[in-house]
Amino acid sequence: TLIIDEAHERSLNIDFLLGYLKRLLTRRADLKVVITSATIDADKFARHFASPDGVHAPVIEVSGRLYPVDIRYQPVQGDTEDTTRDEEEVALIDAVDTLCRLGPGDVLVFLPGEREIRVAAESLRKHHPPNTDILPLYSRLSASEQDRVFKTSASRRIVLATNVAETSLTVPGIRYVVDTGLARVKRY
């Protein structure tokens, strides 16, 4: 049995793998493929993996808890008065400030990589009050430093992570999310 998780994150690798598995399933009756995703178009995948006689692959839906979500877009302003910081840095600080004024709760910020996390952490530490915990999260941190994001605190926490936290982690206490819209993409 092969389990393909987060199949909705379409990439060349996922598409290639799904095409290869479809061909392999016609030759291996003993092979089972399980495809999981929270946001998948199940009908499209069921048709893609239909048996040779046209019977669609079975779909099993597991309902989870749904929480209301407000989505707000905040464009990066091109004319910043602060020449010591770039536009994205100012936009991130403004977005976090806006969310902090809305009420209590921790903030999770998605950034593309370690360098951007370090820069953002430094900027936010300079800008926010001392009772705010700025917690970077990336793979090269020690285990104890990474574990800090899973411990609740009396202080407001701002967790800066790559998008691995989007699909692979549940960080307790998060009430607000800032997605910078930036991602590191490998090209072949």
Side-chain angles (χ1 to χ4, degrees), residues 81-99:
E81 295 174 11
D82 188 347
T83 57
T84 61
R85 298 184 291 172
D86 68 0
E87 295 170 349
E88 282 138 4
E89 187 178 346
V90 171
L92 175 60
I93 290 171
D94 288 347
V96 171
D97 283 350
T98 300
L99 295 174

Side-chain angles (χ1 to χ4, degrees), residues 86 88-89 92 109-125 136-141 160-162 180 182-185:
D86 68 0
E88 282 138 4
E89 187 178 346
L92 175 60
V109 178
F110 292 132
L111 294 156
E114 179 181 339
R115 182 173 47 87
E116 293 83 2
I117 290 172
R118 287 177 188 236
V119 169
E122 185 175 329
S123 298
L124 289 167
R125 281 190 187 104
L137 179 61
Y138 50 87
S139 61
R140 290 190 340 143
L141 288 172
L160 307 171
T162 61
T180 60
L182 303 172
R184 184 155 291 132
V185 179

Side-chain angles (χ1 to χ4, degrees), residues 34-56:
V34 177
I35 299 173
T36 65
S37 170
T39 59
I40 200 169
D41 181 352
D43 293 333
K44 187 180 283 187
F45 277 77
R47 285 192 308 272
H48 177 75
F49 285 101
S51 63
D53 58 355
V55 177
H56 291 184

Side-chain angles (χ1 to χ4, degrees), residues 46 56-60:
H56 291 184
V59 174
I60 299 170

